[in-house]
Amino acid sequence: MSGLREFVGSPVKILTSDGRLFVGNLEGYDQNTNVVLTMSTERAFSSKASTQEKSIGGVVIRGDDVICVGSYDGEIEKSTDYTKIFAEELKDTKNPLK
């Protein structure tokens, strides 16, 4: 968790367990990795259709859904055409109880 401290106040990318990618400013987080983003965009990837993108403003993402948090590079974002990126759904990330 202490690794997130350096990202507070900065733009980040967050990948969730259902395969969505959120891009926005990290405003805060807690001990459960619940994160708060502002000025955010959600990208939903599919293997059958081009990437869907929508501006959602502020969002709270539950820590259980966070797979990874990474830095954001504006130059790379400008040069990436997400409409040409297709992706398979992520496998289930939860371990079932037996």
Side-chain angles (χ1 to χ4, degrees):
M1 287 306 305
S2 63
L4 288 179
R5 186 173 298 134
E6 69 183 86
F7 293 114
V8 173
S10 302
V12 295
K13 288 183 176 183
I14 298 178
L15 180 63
T16 61
S17 60
D18 60 1
R20 294 179 294 162
L21 179 69
F22 292 87
V23 178
N25 286 329
L26 180 63
E27 296 298 328
Y29 63 93
D30 66 11
Q31 69 276 7
N32 297 314
T33 321
N34 297 313
V35 294
V36 178
L37 296 180
T38 57
M39 297 187 297
S40 59
T41 300
E42 175 187 353
R43 294 187 183 125
F45 297 91
S46 168
S47 62
K48 298 176 177 74
S50 63
T51 302
Q52 301 295 311
E53 183 173 306
K54 64 180 175 179
S55 178
I56 56 173
V59 65
V60 175
I61 303 171
R62 288 180 42 93
D64 289 346
D65 295 329
V66 174
I67 291 179
C68 70
V69 179
S71 60
Y72 172 92
D73 185 324
E75 292 303 314
I76 291 174
E77 289 296 312
K78 288 178 189 175
S79 66
T80 303
D81 184 359
Y82 282 97
T83 63
K84 295 182 179 176
I85 296 177
F86 296 82
E88 296 291 330
E89 290 185 21
L90 293 174
K91 302 284 187 208
D92 189 8
T93 60
K94 305 289 182 191
N95 294 325
L97 296 175
K98 295 182 181 186

